[in-house]
Amino acid sequence: MSSAHRVGGKVITFGENVNTDVIIPGRYLVSIDPAELAEHAFEPLGPEVQARLRASDIVVAGRNFGCGSAREQAATCLIGAGIKAVVAASFSRVFFRNAINTGLVAVESPAAAEAASDGGEMWVDYDQGVVETGGQTFAFSPYPEVLREILADGGLIPHLMANSGGAR
């Protein structure tokens, strides 16, 4: 699989209903700095989980990832921690949109999420609509062109700035 829209690497897995309060506790929402937020990503789960997160590239989870409060810092802290994509059985719609808007790939693929192994590898091609893990390939609906452009530009604000024709 080769594409300009391919991301992947080492996987860290989580279960279902991962709440934004677990992803980034509310007391840290005064920051918008990805690196600072990353220091507190998954803090309620302890330092061992935080260390594993920082050594990973892909978060994989069950149903309803990113449920709870609508906070873009939940996606921002994952980017700050070096996460390139989240693959889940399903997402909170607000988390999914916040992920795209901040430049984080978010793919809904129940079969790929089920097949992933903690510490294994996963590769996502969001242009082709393919996830590879454990020697298996899973198809998902490719992102529409505008979402691919937003991700390629690093998020919604950079995308709007790049396409504004210099207007401010």
Side-chain angles (χ1 to χ4, degrees), residues 30-121:
V30 295
S31 177
I32 59 169
D33 177 51
E36 184 179 339
L37 290 166
E39 291 298 314
H40 305 288
F42 289 96
E43 188 174 270
L45 301 182
E48 183 177 295
V49 172
Q50 290 180 291
R52 287 180 45 238
L53 177 74
R54 286 189 286 279
S56 299
D57 303 292
I58 304 282
V59 167
V60 176
R63 294 179 304 135
N64 205 24
F65 186 85
C67 60
S69 301
R71 54 181 71 156
E72 70 182 48
Q73 291 96 332
T76 303
C77 77
L78 296 176
I79 292 169
I83 298 300
K84 297 173 181 71
V86 179
V87 175
S90 67
F91 291 95
S92 151
R93 296 320 303 162
V94 171
F95 178 87
F96 178 84
R97 216 36 236 214
N98 283 338
I100 300 301
N101 288 347
T102 57
L104 178 64
V105 174
V107 172
E108 195 168 290
S109 177
E114 178 71 26
S117 62
D118 195 61
E121 284 196 0

Side-chain angles (χ1 to χ4, degrees), residues 127-138:
D127 192 29
Q128 299 296 316
V130 176
V131 176
E132 290 181 356
T133 190
Q136 299 178 60
T137 302
F138 303 92

